[in-house]
């Protein structure tokens, strides 16, 4: 029998969990199956999940198709109704060894051995286990430190797919990172659904900054620590201290901003206003000159008019954003925003296009500024690497994957920087 085919849609956390599922499936002896780990962030994501399921079912006839992830958690009936689908399992169930033991074949009849839908109440889950995987890829490793979200933004379905916020204890996180460093990983990324809420459910109420400082202190051989998306309004004192004083903490933050207009932010039920976002970026840049920001921004949120949208466009300059992740608003059934007066589809599409163009202009400005500079990059493939600020760098010849190199930037193509052939000698000064 062939090993299972896994397909991951959506976020980095899903990618991490797919790696954990691969290990659980292998331990259970699961063979000859398709596993689709879905995303539910937009209605388009659910449509793509269905499309992926049908494609994989065609390419892998006569094998069980198992669907899991956020879309499976929030809409189990949607996927159980698909003739291609054999099993639907929830986000909690997918991370349990017992689930995979039940799914593994125990005889000639796989179908019918377990319940077709295995999706329990995600809100009843109280803990997130630190799944000890050996990392994936050969360049950087992702470590899940948190899951779920206690906030209820009016546009977001994710808390109903992930449950309430749960944190992995710091000791478990540190031990996993030590193991990954021992295996040769030069960079570790902390990931979660609402990363800055880490610690709120742990004894002593530690904060994300406490975790970052502890990792850097107890794992001195870790070359690079990177933080995935954060909510800037929840950045704590120690996190800001780490940004200022810890060169091994990478100078790149992806911010969950969502919009640049105060009234829309209130209708989204966000916990920050426009000036809060600008003030955070200004403070972080003072502490760490050269820090690079990415951001999520939604175009066409209900009630958004042109003036409100202009405030999102202006936010790119006011915050000094470099990498934009633009979401055309997509109504999710059951969320409060879905009941608000909608912006017409063509307007949403047009505004998203303008926002992406603004993002491309900001990226081009950033790439222009790197020409002639030296960077320490981490190679992600034979001919691609990333700077400490997360910009992609292209090589003209093959390089060893997963290594740190000191290179000089010679140009860019609008998306990637270009490095001079051959690495420069290592520099203790890092980026200049």
């Amino acid at each position: 029998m062939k090993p299972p085919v896994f397909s991951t849609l959506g976020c980095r956390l899903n990618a991490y969990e797919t790696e954990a599922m691969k290990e659980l499936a292998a331990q259970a002896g699961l063979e000859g199956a398709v596993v689709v780990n879905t995303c539910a962030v937009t209605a388009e994501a659910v449509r793509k999940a269905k499309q992926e399921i049908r494609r994989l079912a065609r390419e892998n006839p006569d094998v069980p198709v198992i669907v899991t992830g956020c879309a499976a958690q929030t809409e189990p009936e949607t996927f159980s109704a698909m003739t291609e689908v054999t099993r639907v399992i929830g986000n909690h169930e997918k991370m349990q060894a017992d689930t995979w033991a039940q799914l593994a074949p125990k005889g000639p009849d796989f179908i019918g051995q377990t319940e077709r839908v295995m999706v329990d109440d995600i809100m009843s889950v109280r803990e997130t286990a630190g799944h000890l995987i050996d990392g994936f890829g050969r360049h950087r490793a992702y470590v899940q430190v948190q899951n779920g979200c206690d906030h209820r933004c009016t546009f977001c379905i994710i808390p109903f797919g992930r449950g309430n916020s749960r944190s992995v204890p710091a000791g478990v996180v540190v031990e996993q990172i030590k193991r990954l460093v021992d295996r040769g990983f030069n960079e570790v990324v902390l990931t979660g659904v609402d990363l800055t809420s880490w610690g709120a459910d742990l004894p002593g109420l530690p904060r994300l900054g406490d975790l970052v400082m502890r990792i850097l202190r107890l794992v001195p051989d870790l070359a690079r620590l990177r933080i995935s998306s954060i909510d800037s309004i929840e950045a704590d004192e120690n996190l800001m201290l780490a940004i200022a004083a810890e060169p091994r903490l990478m100078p790149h933050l992806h911010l969950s901003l969502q919009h640049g207009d105060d009234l829309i932010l209130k209708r989204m039920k966000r916990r920050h206003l426009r000036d809060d976002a600008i003030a955070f970026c200004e403070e972080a840049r003072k502490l760490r000159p050269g820090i690079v920001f990415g951001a999520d921004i939604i175009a066409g949120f209900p009630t958004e008019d042109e003036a409100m949208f202009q405030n999102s466009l202006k936010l790119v300059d006011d915050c000094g954003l470099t990498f934009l992740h633009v979401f055309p608003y997509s109504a999710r059934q059951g969320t409060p925003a879905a009941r608000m007066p909608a912006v017409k589809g063509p307007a949403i599409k047009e505004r998203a296009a303008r926002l992406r163009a603004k993002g491309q202009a900001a990226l081009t400005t950033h790439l222009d500024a790197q020409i002639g500079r030296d960077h320490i990059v981490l190679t992600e493939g034979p001919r691609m690497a990333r700077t400490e600020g997360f910009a992609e760098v292209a090589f003209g010849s093959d390089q060893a994957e997963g290594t740190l190199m000191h290179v000089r930037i010679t140009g860019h193509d609008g998306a990637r920087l270009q490095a001079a052939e051959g690495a420069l000698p290592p520099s203790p000064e890092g980026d200049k």
Side-chain angles (χ1 to χ4, degrees), residues 134-372:
D134 290 331
F136 50 101
R138 293 188 295 273
H139 43 277
R140 65 171 53 85
Y142 293 81
V143 174
Q144 180 184 5
V145 303
Q146 184 274 340
N147 205 342
C149 184
D150 290 338
H151 310 299
R152 296 296 180 264
C153 297
T154 60
F155 56 85
C156 188
I157 198 72
I158 297 305
F160 304 100
R162 290 285 180 176
N164 293 316
S165 182
R166 296 99 65 198
S167 308
V168 179
V172 175
V173 174
V174 168
E175 286 307 308
Q176 183 171 3
I177 293 176
K178 285 181 178 178
R179 180 171 126 175
L180 291 165
V181 171
D182 288 343
R183 290 183 59 85
F185 284 92
N186 282 310
E187 181 171 302
V188 167
V189 184
L190 303 184
T191 187
V193 174
D194 181 27
L195 201 55
T196 37
S197 71
W198 180 87
D201 57 328
L202 296 176
L205 304 179
R207 303 292 300 276
L208 179 61
D210 301 321
L211 177 63
V212 167
M213 298 290 267
R214 184 169 179 176
I215 292 168
L216 293 170
R217 184 177 71 253
L218 297 180
V219 195
D221 292 334
L222 173 64
R224 292 185 171 197
L225 180 65
R226 196 178 290 278
I227 298 173
S228 61
S229 181
I230 68 165
D231 202 334
S232 59
I233 199 67
E234 290 187 329
D236 61 275
E237 184 177 351
N238 271 346
L239 181 57
M240 302 306 288
L241 179 61
I243 290 170
E246 294 287 354
R248 290 185 294 147
L249 179 63
M250 294 296 94
H252 166 257
L253 294 173
H254 190 84
L255 309 177
S256 179
L257 298 183
Q258 310 305 345
H259 212 274
D261 184 82
D262 283 348
L263 183 55
I264 292 292
L265 288 168
K266 289 178 181 179
R267 288 171 177 167
M268 288 179 164
K269 207 175 177 181
R270 299 294 294 165
R271 285 157 293 129
H272 73 274
L273 297 175
R274 175 192 181 84
D275 286 347
D276 297 322
I278 296 170
F280 172 83
C281 292
E282 289 176 348
E283 177 64 16
R285 196 169 277 114
K286 287 178 184 176
L287 296 173
R288 189 80 171 266
I291 192 169
V292 180
F293 300 110
D296 295 330
I297 301 184
I298 295 174
F301 186 82
T303 76
E304 179 191 78
D305 59 22
E306 178 61 25
M308 294 169 174
F309 173 70
Q310 284 292 329
N311 282 332
S312 282
L313 283 177
K314 293 172 186 174
L315 191 69
V316 177
D317 293 328
D318 292 343
C319 284
L321 305 177
T322 296
F323 302 106
L324 290 196
H325 192 179
V326 177
F327 290 88
Y329 175 74
S330 175
R332 300 298 284 118
Q333 187 176 358
T335 60
R339 300 190 296 271
M340 297 179 186
V343 177
K344 292 182 178 180
I348 294 177
K349 184 176 180 180
E350 187 270 339
R351 289 174 188 173
R354 276 195 281 160
L355 198 50
R356 290 191 183 103
K358 182 71 173 178
Q360 180 58 52
L363 176 60
T364 298
T365 298
H366 175 71
L367 298 181
D368 285 343
Q370 308 312 307
I371 296 174

Side-chain angles (χ1 to χ4, degrees), residues 11 26 39 86 95 127 176 188 200 211 315:
C11 63
C39 173
T86 310
M95 305 303 285
E127 295 182 353
Q176 183 171 3
V188 167
L211 177 63
L315 191 69

Side-chain angles (χ1 to χ4, degrees), residues 5 7 30-38 49-50 52-68 79-80 82-89 100 103 110-111 116:
V5 175
S7 176
L30 179 64
E31 296 180 324
V34 166
V35 182
V36 182
N37 196 8
T38 64
K50 295 178 185 177
E52 179 75 349
I53 290 164
R54 294 187 181 106
R55 181 186 70 81
L56 288 172
R58 287 194 305 271
E59 294 177 359
N60 300 271
D62 303 321
V63 302
V65 176
I66 302 165
V67 181
T68 187
F79 297 98
S80 63
M82 295 179 67
T83 57
E84 297 88 351
V85 174
T86 310
R87 296 280 184 272
V88 181
I89 62 175
W100 295 96
L103 293 170
F110 178 93
I111 298 175
R116 190 156 190 268

